[in-house]
Amino acid sequence: MTALPPSSRIRRAVLPVAFCTGLTAVLSGCAADPDEGTNGVGKLSPTAIEQKAQSAADSAKAVRLAGTLVSKGGTYKLNMRLKQDGASGSVTTKNSTFELLRIGDALYLKADAGFWAHDDKPSQASSDADADSEAADKLDDKYVKVPQDDPSYKQLRGFTDMNLLLDGLLGLHGEAVKGDRDRIGGIRTVKVKGGEDGEGGTLDVALEGTPFPLRFARGGGAGVVVLSEWDKDFPLREPSAGQTLDYGKQLPRT
């Protein structure tokens, strides 16, 4: 048997090693570090991730909140832009849609005539129905300033209060558990769940940039909201005199 030259023996020894090295690289590529190029939040414990998200939300100056909330009082579909000194956007309930605008403590409600009309009272006297219809026509598509003494002021203002909404929405219940990776609005996220099955809610936290909460699914099917446009300011302007009606000390019941 002819002995191989040293160089040939080296090549024969190196080839299998090179093949194995290449194969290892290919296989390990399927298990690439999911936190590469991220803000590193995904490496933290689930409780720490939740705390990071809460801190980011607490320090934010503005946000858009869109989605559905389910409560004992009904189901509400929100599309609100919120900041510390006010908000603007829309709220849809089972029977109607209305717009809200708040600048400081001044709160305005805008809706069509159907929102203001009392069509759900078939036993209403004809004169009362006519009066309601006339009032509804005057209020149609106008900004009506909500008196602070009106019983509905506190509830309506709650839809425009950034801190109140975020504090009430973003808390998980139960032991925090780290979930899967996902993308919300093109941004990589990591999920944190309240309980193994997310029965206490599921929070998606951004893995890019500031670890803002980007999506929250409330436990028990109580709604899902998407949070975007964090820290993006937007203008709030008082409606013009021609767009505004002052109904007095108390709004008509709707």
Side-chain angles (χ1 to χ4, degrees):
M1 181 176 179
T2 306
L4 291 171
S7 59
S8 298
R9 288 199 299 270
I10 293 172
R11 283 198 299 271
R12 289 187 60 180
V14 167
L15 283 174
V17 173
F19 174 78
C20 292
T21 303
L23 181 60
T24 301
V26 171
L27 294 175
S28 63
C30 299
D33 182 3
D35 294 301
E36 184 178 354
T38 72
N39 55 23
V41 167
K43 298 179 180 180
L44 303 178
S45 70
T47 300
I49 296 172
E50 183 185 7
Q51 290 172 346
K52 285 280 189 181
Q54 188 65 62
S55 295
D58 289 343
S59 62
K61 297 178 180 178
V63 67
R64 178 186 288 275
L65 186 154
T68 302
L69 304 178
V70 181
S71 70
K72 293 180 181 178
T75 299
Y76 304 92
K77 184 177 181 180
L78 276 64
N79 187 0
M80 299 294 302
R81 294 196 72 180
L82 308 153
K83 57 183 179 178
Q84 297 297 334
D85 60 348
S88 66
S90 65
V91 180
T92 299
T93 67
K94 180 180 179 181
N95 299 315
S96 60
T97 296
F98 54 90
E99 295 180 27
L100 292 173
L101 169 65
R102 183 175 66 83
I103 303 173
D105 290 327
L107 178 63
Y108 299 90
L109 171 65
K110 181 180 179 183
D112 61 18
F115 174 87
W116 299 107
H118 291 193
D119 296 334
D120 59 337
K121 296 184 178 180
S123 60
Q124 216 175 9
S126 176
S127 59
D128 291 339
D130 290 343
D132 280 348
S133 178
E134 183 178 352
D137 288 341
K138 290 180 179 179
L139 297 171
D140 180 39
D141 210 30
K142 296 287 187 180
Y143 284 99
V144 179
K145 191 170 185 178
V146 183
Q148 293 187 35
D149 293 335
D150 189 278
S152 63
Y153 178 87
K154 184 177 180 180
Q155 180 184 13
L156 293 172
R157 182 184 171 120
F159 290 120
T160 70
D161 191 314
M162 178 176 170
N163 292 332
L164 182 65
L165 277 176
L166 294 180
D167 288 346
L169 285 176
L170 298 182
L172 295 170
H173 300 284
E175 183 180 357
V177 178
K178 192 185 298 187
D180 297 332
R181 305 302 173 98
D182 203 347
R183 282 185 180 269
I184 305 295
I187 299 174
R188 286 182 289 176
T189 65
V190 59
K191 295 181 185 294
V192 181
K193 302 181 292 182
E196 286 291 342
D197 298 323
E199 62 272 14
T202 301
L203 184 66
D204 275 88
V205 180
L207 288 173
E208 302 172 23
T210 304
F212 285 121
L214 299 186
R215 182 179 181 272
F216 186 69
R218 302 177 76 196
V224 178
V225 294
V226 174
L227 302 129
S228 61
E229 300 180 33
W230 286 101
D231 277 338
K232 290 186 179 180
D233 196 15
F234 57 95
L236 289 172
R237 299 185 181 90
E238 295 274 357
S240 67
Q243 294 178 298
T244 310
L245 281 177
D246 188 346
Y247 201 84
K249 293 184 178 180
Q250 186 170 329
L251 297 182
R253 295 181 64 187
T254 64

